[in-house]
Structure formats: C-alpha cells, structure tokens
Amino acid sequence: MGIEDYNISEENMPVHIAIIMDGNGRWAKQRRKPRLFGHNAGMKALHNTVHLASDMGIKILTVYAFSTENWKRSQEEVDGLMRIAVEYFMKEIAELHRNHVQVRIIGEKSRLPKDVQKSADNAESLTKDNDGLILNVALNYGGRDEIVHAVREIMEEGTAPGDVTEEMISAHLYTRDLPDPDIMIRTGGESRLSNFLLWQNAYTEFFFDDIWWPDFDDDAFYKLIEAYQQRNRRFGTA
Ligand code: IPE
Ligand code: IPE
Ligand code: MG
C-alpha cells in the first residue's frame, strides 16, 4: 500500500513527531537471534523512518535511542548499542546531510564513550545549518535528568524563585527552541513513557503500537498520521 491508500490531508500535518523505538530485543528473540541483531535491524527502521518523515515534510523527528536507565543492561548490549550509534553517525551522515537533515543530540553527552561523542559532534556540526528535517537523537536521555539540568541552569543564572516561568523551563531543556511534540508513538506494545520528554509531552497525542520497532514501515507511519488527523485536540478548552 502507498500513501494514496490512506486518508491523509496535507493540512493538519504534525510538525513534531517523537518516537520511542521499542521492541528490538523481542523482535530478535522471536527469530532466535541475539538482542544486538534486533538493534541493527532497528537502525534500518530508523533510516527508513527519517527518509519518510523528511519526504512528507515533517519538520521535527525526535527518537529515543538510549535512556539514562539503559546503562543497567549488560555491558555487551551497552557496548553494542554504542557501536551502533557511532556507525549510524558515521555511515548515515553524508546521506542525511544531502537530504538537508539537521542532526541534534539530546541527552547528557558527557557520559557517552568518547567515540560516540566525537561522531555525534561531527554529525551536529556538519549539519547545523541545514534547513530540512530536524532529527533529535536522544542518547543518554532522561526526562527527569533534563528537568534537573534546566533547574540548575536557571538557578545558576541567579533567577529569583518568583520569576521562574513555564517558558523559562522550556527554554532550558534540550529541545529549547522547538515546539512540543504533536505525536508521541511507542512501538513494542508497552504503554509507558519510560522517562521520555516528560515536560514536552503535556499536550501531545499518544499512540501505543504493538508493532516491534524493526517492523515499523511506511504503512505503520501513514496509519499513524491518519489516526492523528482523526484526533480532536482541545488543549483544555471546552
Ligand atoms: C529498544 O528496544 C531499543 C533500546 C532501548 C536501546 P529494546 O532493546 O528495549 O527491545 P525490547 O523492549 O527488549 O524488545
Ligand atoms: C525505552 O525503552 C528506551 C528506548 C526505547 C531507548 P526501554 O525498553 O528501555 O523501556 P522499559 O524498560 O521497557 O520501560
Ligand atoms: Mg524495551
């Protein structure tokens, strides 16, 4: 099936889509393969999704690649995920750049291995002036950690307690200059946020899909946009 098989209107397109790319491990297990096999397949699904979002004119895509809690996994899996991150930034960057994608990392970079930091810095600096899709890759990202960071910065700036505003907190998050997500989708069948974009998701439309992340394809994406356009967003109004 193609986009013409879906009831998608050019108007009312989401500006910002956030994705919790979950289910790689279980996808691999189903195939009797190691978890890292699933993470590699997940990288391919990310490649395809970035293309699709960019072609559809989506402005911002934020993907959860590694949480502040994912360090609790086996050393082998953590190392493998870090290797995949480097591979992603090295192998995909030329094509991303050609497609005018602007890559940004959200999360606490300093705890990441040096080679991950370096390849991420490279990707960011090469693409920083691109005016196409903004791709936020959440690496060592935690929503609570992000809010703590913001509060620390605000205090360091000497702000008086009574002067703290919601806008000020938004302006100190990793997503500081970006609008909040319109869509938050989690693949893999779990219905939880797992510490993703806690502040930004205040009025986001949530979608929980049973599809494993490596299976996420064009149809899953179109289906999501179609379902989003059928939602009635009220933002607290009657
Ligand atoms: C998501 O897939 C990728 C990361 C958390 C890095 P998982 O590895 O969590 O896959 P499942 O949830 O075990 O299937
Ligand atoms: C969330 O998935 C993090 C990423 C997809 C990167 P997890 O698999 O880590 O979340 P839990 O442990 O099921 O909540
Ligand atoms: Mg998981």
Side-chain angles (χ1 to χ4, degrees), residues 21-215:
M21 308 184 288
D22 196 25
N24 295 349
R26 282 162 290 163
W27 179 90
K29 193 171 176 199
Q30 220 176 31
R31 286 161 179 73
R32 297 191 167 72
K33 300 276 193 193
R35 295 181 61 83
L36 281 171
F37 182 78
H39 295 314
N40 270 309
M43 187 168 78
K44 288 181 196 131
L46 176 60
H47 172 97
N48 187 57
T49 304
V50 170
H51 255 279
L52 197 58
S54 168
D55 286 351
M56 285 181 79
I58 304 296
K59 300 274 183 287
I60 308 158
L61 188 68
T62 301
V63 296
Y64 207 4
F66 194 90
S67 75
T68 47
E69 287 72 49
N70 287 147
W71 298 108
K72 296 176 196 161
R73 297 188 178 197
S74 73
Q75 193 61 45
E76 187 192 359
E77 183 169 356
V78 169
D79 289 349
L81 283 165
M82 292 301 146
R83 203 171 342 108
I84 288 171
V86 174
E87 207 182 302
Y88 184 79
F89 292 129
M90 309 268 278
K91 282 199 187 150
E92 303 264 334
I93 196 60
E95 191 179 331
L96 291 168
H97 190 39
R98 223 172 22 250
N99 290 320
H100 314 285
V101 175
Q102 186 188 124
V103 179
R104 303 183 183 186
I105 311 307
I106 63 170
E108 180 46 61
K109 261 196 204 157
S110 63
R111 195 181 163 186
L112 296 168
K114 285 285 168 291
D115 58 338
V116 179
Q117 290 188 35
K118 222 174 133 198
S119 59
D121 286 345
N122 260 339
E124 282 186 315
S125 64
L126 178 70
T127 62
K128 70 176 185 346
D129 298 322
N130 288 349
D131 58 2
L133 175 80
I134 294 176
L135 174 63
N136 293 311
V137 182
L139 266 180
N140 191 24
Y141 173 89
R144 289 187 169 180
D145 183 60
E146 180 181 39
I147 294 169
V148 169
H149 265 263
V151 171
R152 282 189 187 148
E153 272 182 24
I154 291 168
M155 292 182 79
E156 276 162 15
E157 287 161 12
T159 312
D163 292 339
V164 176
T165 61
E166 291 187 8
E167 290 71 27
M168 195 180 284
I169 292 178
S170 294
H172 286 81
L173 302 175
Y174 295 119
T175 52
R176 53 194 81 216
D177 56 339
L178 302 174
D180 291 337
D182 300 299
I183 291 178
M184 198 293 300
I185 180 168
R186 179 172 189 143
T187 62
E190 313 290 357
S191 305
R192 54 177 173 255
L193 271 181
S194 302
N195 207 5
F196 195 41
L197 304 175
L198 297 182
W199 178 273
Q200 298 89 331
N201 275 331
Y203 269 101
T204 301
E205 294 294 326
F206 285 16
F207 296 84
F208 296 98
D209 197 328
D210 285 338
I211 195 169
W212 307 131
W213 174 248
D215 290 331

